[in-house]
Amino acid sequence: MFGTLRSNSLRNTSKIFRHVRRYASQFLNQVIQMQHTEICADPPSRALVLGVYADEDDSHDAGILTPAAWRYNVSRTNGRLIEVLRMSGPLPRRGEARILFAQEVEKVPYYSAVAVVGLGKECLGYNPYEIIDEQKEGIRRSVAKACMDLALLNTNRIEVENCGHAESAAEGAALGVWAYQELRNRDNRIPVPTVDLYTTKEEVCDLEGFRIGLQKAAAQNLTRQLQEMPSNILTPTSFAQNVVEVLCKSGVNVEVKVEGWAESQVMNAFLSVGKASCEPPIFLELSYYGTAADERPIVMIGQGITYDCGGLCLKSKDQLYVKRGDMTGAAVVVATCRAIAALRLPVNIRGLVPLCENVLGCNSFRPGDTVKCMNGKHIKIQGTDQADVLILADTLLYAQNFCPKCIVDVGTNSWHMREVLGEAACGVFTNSEILWQQIKHASMHTGDRVWRMPLWEYYTQLIRGGMSSDVQNYGAGRGGKPCKAAAFLREFVPCGQWMHMDATNVMTTRGTTFEYLRAGMAGRPTRTLIEFIAQTICADTAPKMPKK
């Protein structure tokens, strides 16, 4: 009897055990499946960039979040964001970012990472001693640093709040994530996330300002891309093909003129530079009409030597390595024209881009040669490594055919600009106080500063010093080479307002001066030139011809 009871109890226990095991295994399988799904699923790849104001000189400053950051802190994190930020140490300074993870109360957060950037004090603005808007520059630097750090986390999409100025935030983000890697294997490329403006229903968003910032940054990135392309790939012919492809889609007309046309225009100085190369010289004429056709245009000239070894006067090894960027002026003009067309600015633009190579060859022009320009002046070539001013001289003379409102040329004329200004500012030479004030004001907003260099009669006498010719491309005496180059160019500007920008020293960057520019080609001064042209539209600040 006891044995029968015992067997019945064992059977009942076994049934209960099997039932519990079946239920438990089902539950455990669900748990394991959920854990497996959470571990193996692709994590959300959205990130958010918010700003915080704090006194950089006070390490104990608790900081004040921007309005957009505060609303996110309250509505999405229940105040946790600011608490964790303050517990993580001193608040980030300008040019710094702190990335925080899993701040939202939801189990699956919408933003997988939140980067809080330092914006400095709330009262920052124009600094007359630094000639820069410190608030805007701080936004660019900090937002760029955050976006570059988030890109390393394989983030696909980054939303950026305006941080007080949407245009600067867009510039910093778009410039920071860009990298030239067309020639790298796709598996080894740095991820480049898309950038968008963070918007909420509670605030008015400056979408137009953000769009303008993206267009300016895209223009500078186009300049950087053209600068970085190897000179064996970006020849004068290839450059022209790229320009046609890029600008014709943007509403800018492109005329490609060949060597025979340059001969008919008596551009002997331009032709003498490129005759040693197997690549024929090409002259590009860009035109954009944003207003009435009879309105006088602004003429932009871009130096386009796709590679400059110096000819028979060979340059040093350090210079040769970066001389693929000697077409910086041409790249700046092309990118500026595209941005102006994209922004639909009501202004007429004429862009002139002489393209050639200055290389060694059996047909190289020589020191001591003399060429005659279309205005009848004879140029004595003292050194073939100073070819930049030669191609600009002929182009300046040709620009007079368009009765321009003003002429702006961009080139890389003197390596000595690096010793004068470093990476701080682009050198500007001009015969017009109006143009100088406008370009100075534009650079203050863009953070890509300029500095006025002397254009005195003293330097004009040095380049006219030779007895056997009207002018010399080097000039007499030692030193002052950037100023002598500008004085040489002024000889070919018969009348009107003119400005020369020497971008030699800002052509490249070490990657440490500006957080929003990686090491390599910098693309400067593209944004400043775009801002300058935008300011000329204003009736009270537009360049005016001097009264007779």
Side-chain angles (χ1 to χ4, degrees):
M1 180 176 179
F2 288 106
T4 303
L5 292 174
R6 184 178 179 183
S7 68
N8 289 335
S9 64
L10 288 175
R11 280 196 299 268
N12 292 334
T13 304
S14 176
K15 290 179 181 180
I16 296 172
F17 179 75
R18 284 197 301 269
H19 179 71
V20 172
R21 186 175 62 181
R22 190 182 303 113
Y23 175 79
S25 66
Q26 183 179 2
F27 175 75
L28 289 173
N29 287 334
Q30 291 177 354
V31 172
I32 293 172
Q33 185 177 3
M34 291 176 60
Q35 292 178 348
H36 181 74
T37 301
E38 291 180 358
I39 293 172
C40 297
D42 292 333
S45 57
R46 289 181 296 267
L48 178 63
V49 177
L50 302 172
V52 61
Y53 298 105
D55 186 354
E56 297 178 311
D57 298 327
D58 184 5
S59 60
H60 301 289
D61 191 337
I64 301 174
L65 292 175
T66 60
W70 179 253
R71 280 191 287 270
Y72 176 84
N73 172 61
V74 173
S75 63
R76 302 295 292 270
T77 71
N78 292 339
R80 180 183 177 189
L81 177 69
I82 187 64
E83 294 179 2
V84 174
L85 179 65
R86 288 169 177 168
M87 289 189 296
S88 62
L91 296 181
R93 304 164 64 89
R94 280 178 292 172
E96 296 180 353
R98 187 159 302 155
I99 300 179
L100 306 175
F101 300 93
Q103 295 301 303
E104 299 178 10
V105 294
E106 289 84 356
K107 184 177 181 181
V108 180
Y110 185 79
Y111 297 105
S112 56
V114 178
V116 183
V117 299
L119 302 176
K121 296 180 180 179
E122 290 183 272
C123 58
L124 289 178
Y126 175 63
N127 187 332
Y129 299 102
E130 294 290 331
I131 316 180
I132 196 172
D133 191 315
E134 293 184 320
Q135 180 199 26
K136 296 178 181 178
E137 185 66 4
I139 294 171
R140 289 187 203 96
R141 293 172 51 197
S142 299
V143 170
K145 184 65 170 64
C147 291
M148 294 169 75
D149 290 345
L150 290 170
L152 297 177
L153 303 176
N154 292 327
T155 305
N156 294 331
R157 178 185 176 88
I158 299 176
E159 294 187 18
V160 183
E161 68 137 316
N162 58 33
C163 295
H165 194 255
E167 183 178 326
S168 299
E171 289 176 349
L175 290 171
V177 299
W178 186 90
Y180 180 75
Q181 42 192 350
E182 292 182 1
L183 305 179
R184 296 187 68 181
N185 188 292
R186 289 188 176 274
D187 297 334
N188 299 327
R189 293 183 183 181
I190 301 172
V192 179
T194 58
V195 177
D196 202 356
L197 178 64
Y198 173 68
T199 60
T200 59
K201 297 179 180 179
E202 293 79 9
E203 65 176 330
V204 178
C205 300
D206 188 8
L207 291 173
E208 182 64 17
F210 198 82
R211 186 184 72 87
I212 292 173
L214 290 179
Q215 289 292 345
K216 287 183 176 180
Q220 184 164 346
N221 290 338
L222 174 60
T223 303
R224 295 161 76 186
Q225 179 181 357
L226 293 172
Q227 288 177 311
E228 290 284 7
M229 291 182 69
S231 57
N232 63 324
I233 296 177
L234 193 70
T235 61
T237 303
S238 176
F239 191 105
Q241 292 172 345
N242 276 273
V243 170
V244 170
E245 182 179 351
V246 168
L247 293 188
C248 286
K249 298 177 182 178
S250 305
V252 180
N253 184 54
V254 182
E255 296 181 45
V256 181
K257 302 179 184 295
V258 295
E259 187 174 1
W261 175 88
E263 292 175 352
S264 68
Q265 297 293 321
V266 199
M267 293 186 173
N268 295 324
F270 167 50
L271 293 172
S272 66
V273 176
K275 65 182 183 178
S277 173
C278 298
E279 285 285 334
I282 293 177
F283 193 95
L284 298 181
E285 190 172 318
L286 320 175
S287 54
Y288 166 75
Y289 296 95
T291 183
D294 57 350
E295 183 76 17
R296 294 164 61 196
I298 296 175
V299 174
M300 296 188 298
I301 299 173
Q303 172 194 318
I305 301 182
T306 57
Y307 188 75
D308 185 8
C309 76
L312 294 177
C313 302
L314 191 65
K315 296 180 181 290
S316 65
K317 179 183 176 182
D318 293 339
Q319 297 184 44
L320 289 174
Y321 183 73
V322 296
K323 275 303 176 178
R324 69 184 186 280
D326 212 45
M327 33 58 68
T328 292
V332 168
V333 168
V334 170
T336 300
C337 286
R338 190 183 74 166
I340 291 171
L343 296 172
R344 300 182 182 276
L345 297 183
V347 63
N348 291 342
I349 296 293
R350 184 76 64 161
L352 306 177
V353 180
L355 297 168
C356 65
E357 290 180 338
N358 182 23
V359 296
L360 286 166
C362 59
N363 202 29
S364 296
F365 69 124
R366 300 166 292 270
D369 287 358
T370 300
V371 294
K372 183 180 180 180
C373 294
M374 66 173 70
N375 66 343
K377 286 188 177 182
H378 287 81
I379 302 174
K380 183 176 183 179
I381 300 169
Q382 295 173 299
T384 61
D385 56 336
Q386 190 74 355
D388 316 85
V389 294
L390 298 177
I391 70 170
L392 289 177
D394 276 334
T395 312
L396 284 168
L397 291 171
Y398 179 70
Q400 302 299 321
N401 296 331
F402 305 103
C403 191
K405 186 184 298 183
C406 65
I407 300 176
V408 180
D409 72 77
V410 185
T412 51
N413 301 113
S414 178
W415 190 260
H416 296 273
M417 285 295 298
R418 291 170 172 262
E419 302 170 5
V420 177
L421 295 175
E423 292 184 34
C426 176
V428 168
F429 303 81
T430 180
N431 61 2
S432 169
E433 183 65 26
I434 295 176
L435 294 184
W436 162 243
Q437 291 298 332
Q438 284 186 334
I439 196 72
K440 174 185 173 183
H441 192 257
S443 71
M444 175 196 74
H445 289 291
T446 63
D448 189 0
R449 290 177 290 187
V450 296
W451 186 254
R452 191 173 190 177
M453 302 289 287
L455 192 64
W456 297 330
E457 187 68 20
Y458 169 83
Y459 300 107
T460 302
Q461 296 302 322
L462 294 180
I463 58 103
R464 289 179 180 174
M467 294 294 295
S468 60
S469 63
D470 297 305
V471 289
Q472 306 168 92
N473 70 333
Y474 249 101
R478 300 180 61 185
K481 288 186 177 180
C483 302
K484 287 189 287 187
F488 176 92
L489 293 176
R490 187 171 61 171
E491 292 293 303
F492 301 91
V493 184
C495 60
Q497 299 188 91
W498 160 73
M499 179 170 62
H500 165 62
M501 304 181 73
D502 194 333
T504 309
N505 57 308
V506 299
M507 179 176 67
T508 60
T509 179
R510 295 170 296 176
T512 56
T513 308
F514 305 96
E515 284 81 357
Y516 46 85
L517 295 177
R518 301 180 192 269
M521 296 295 176
R524 300 166 63 188
T526 305
R527 287 183 298 112
T528 296
L529 190 55
I530 297 170
E531 181 69 23
F532 162 77
I533 292 174
Q535 289 184 11
T536 62
I537 299 171
C538 302
D540 56 339
T541 60
K544 301 176 180 63
M545 293 294 292
K547 295 181 180 180
K548 296 184 179 180

